Amino acid sequence: MRKSRFSEEQIIGILKEHQAGMGAKELCRKHGISDGTFYKWRSKYGGMEVSEAKRLKALEIENAKLKKMLAEHMLDVATLKEMPGKKLLKPGARRRAVDWAMTEKNYNQRRACALAGIDPRVYRRGSTRPADAELRERLKELSSERRRFGYRRLHLLLGREGWKVNWKKLYRIYREEGLSVRKRGGRKRAIGTRAPMAIPQGPNQRWSLDFVSDSLSDGRRFRVLCIIDDFSRECLAAVVDTSLSGQRVARELDNIARTRGYPCMVVSDNGTELTSNAIMKWQEDRKVEWHYIAPGKPMQNSFVESFNGRLRDECLNEHLFANLRHAREMIAAWRDDYNHHRPHTSLDGLTPWEYHQRSVEDQTLNRAN
């Protein structure tokens, strides 16, 4: 029997007839209902008035709605947990989430959009932004070759290849492709003001020295002597060996001076190799001023310290060296790339070699004028 065949008012009227003295069988025959239906009505509506039955009906309807809402909410929570992607922060991610909910969970469009937090009109509106497939592929190729380069240096490399792209657009694509470089753990910085170090105004005015340590695959330690021209940021030498004495440092400085000449000043820390008698004799014989930074103040030798960070981040941490010869070959190749191909942000995107050549040309023009 349909529920709508008898209203609550009619059911209560039938029950009142029974209360007035009419028998159950006669009522059932009169209204065409079974005994079971009659007794169910009596257990549910017995003693009620019409207004009370209406309130009961309203409560049942409201209870059914609440049950449905609770079931839908629990389903939405489960769907959100299964939904691909960590956070739905951009329209593209929200559209993909809506597609997934409609395909996998049989949601309708309106409910899926409400779950993903996107307006249905925004979901239906197609993007007019170009795909830039070639640019994305080239950017991924460069980032795989230069694993420690951020979007700024990649932008410079793309510019060299002829790509005309705004850096903000490149940054957006860089983030969308998930190419962000993981930052290394930093160290605590001293708080306070410092006087800026004077930058040399020409090549060969000041060199900086420092050592970097690493180990081979068998555990043997080796050191790298790094020599930098503070003006052009060129790496003049990256000497790799298991032992680097003061005499060896002096010999390497002479080897560089044969092609570039001697500098006006050399800056270094207070290591035993750099305060040895061999270095003291070398600076007296060559008439080169040697400046030692304050103990425990590596920021006073910032140019070579910055270079050491790039060397470790982009070369030493990237490769596993089988032997000393392998380490020398890999570090020499990286040094050549650093000097001639790697753009330097503090040099307006030029390489150290290009910056050095431009300085030589400027000096030649000034002398001619």
Side-chain angles (χ1 to χ4, degrees), residues 135 155 158-159 161-167 169:
L135 176 61
H155 183 244
L158 288 171
E161 297 179 2
W163 291 90
K164 303 296 183 181
V165 56
N166 185 281
W167 69 268
K169 177 181 178 179

Side-chain angles (χ1 to χ4, degrees), residues 21 42 78 89 99 132 154 198 203 217 248-250 260 269 308 350 352:
R42 193 175 69 175
L89 302 178
D99 293 337
D132 298 311
L154 292 175
S217 57
R248 177 71 180 278
V249 173
R260 296 180 62 95
D269 57 16
N308 291 347
L350 300 176

Side-chain angles (χ1 to χ4, degrees), residues 163-352:
W163 291 90
K164 303 296 183 181
V165 56
N166 185 281
W167 69 268
K168 289 180 282 190
K169 177 181 178 179
L170 182 72
Y171 178 67
R172 173 178 59 79
I173 297 174
Y174 177 82
R175 292 293 300 272
E176 290 176 355
E177 296 296 331
L179 303 177
S180 300
V181 180
R182 182 180 179 184
K183 293 183 179 180
R184 308 288 189 186
R187 60 182 177 83
K188 292 184 178 180
R189 306 287 180 179
I191 300 175
T193 58
R194 303 189 186 98
M197 178 180 286
I199 299 176
Q201 300 303 309
N204 248 30
Q205 292 185 5
R206 189 174 69 205
W207 294 355
S208 297
L209 308 182
D210 199 12
F211 292 96
V212 181
S213 298
D214 204 5
S215 59
L216 303 175
S217 57
D218 59 4
R220 285 194 303 159
R221 303 288 298 178
F222 68 88
R223 307 180 77 192
V224 185
L225 171 63
C226 301
I227 306 175
I228 303 296
D229 188 314
D230 289 356
F231 172 74
S232 63
R233 315 301 201 274
E234 289 179 89
C235 178
L236 307 180
V239 185
V240 181
D241 212 331
T242 54
S243 177
L244 293 168
S245 63
Q247 293 179 349
R248 177 71 180 278
V249 173
R251 191 162 66 247
E252 295 296 338
L253 291 172
D254 285 333
N255 290 337
I256 300 171
R258 290 190 183 96
T259 56
R260 296 180 62 95
Y262 288 98
C264 301
M265 177 186 290
V266 177
V267 182
S268 74
D269 57 16
N270 297 271
T272 55
E273 303 88 349
L274 305 177
T275 56
S276 61
N277 292 330
I279 293 297
M280 297 295 180
K281 185 176 184 304
W282 181 88
Q283 58 178 307
E284 290 179 2
D285 295 343
R286 275 68 175 178
K287 307 300 182 185
V288 174
E289 182 181 356
W290 199 290
H291 174 72
Y292 293 101
I293 64 174
K297 300 290 183 180
M299 69 288 294
Q300 295 180 3
N301 202 9
S302 57
F303 293 105
V304 71
E305 290 290 346
S306 175
F307 173 83
N308 291 347
R310 303 285 76 74
L311 172 63
R312 185 171 297 282
D313 193 31
E314 299 175 12
C315 182
L316 300 183
N317 289 345
E318 291 284 333
H319 302 287
L320 189 63
F321 304 112
N323 48 50
L324 204 59
R325 178 181 178 183
H326 182 217
R328 286 170 177 162
E329 291 175 352
M330 297 301 296
I331 293 174
W334 183 86
R335 171 178 167 265
D336 180 73
D337 178 76
Y338 176 87
N339 284 337
H340 297 92
H341 303 288
R342 182 185 186 278
H344 206 296
T345 52
S346 64
L347 303 179
D348 296 329
L350 300 176
T351 65

Side-chain angles (χ1 to χ4, degrees), residues 8 16 26 40 62 86 102 134-135 139 155 171 221 256 281 293 323 341 358 366:
E8 285 80 4
K16 285 186 175 182
E26 295 177 5
K40 285 182 180 178
E62 186 177 357
K86 293 182 179 179
M102 294 171 62
E134 295 182 2
L135 176 61
L139 183 62
H155 183 244
Y171 178 67
R221 303 288 298 178
I256 300 171
K281 185 176 184 304
I293 64 174
N323 48 50
H341 303 288
R358 191 176 74 174
N366 291 334

Side-chain angles (χ1 to χ4, degrees), residues 359-369:
S359 173
V360 172
E361 293 172 1
D362 292 345
Q363 292 178 1
T364 303
L365 290 174
N366 291 334
R367 294 194 193 100
N369 294 333

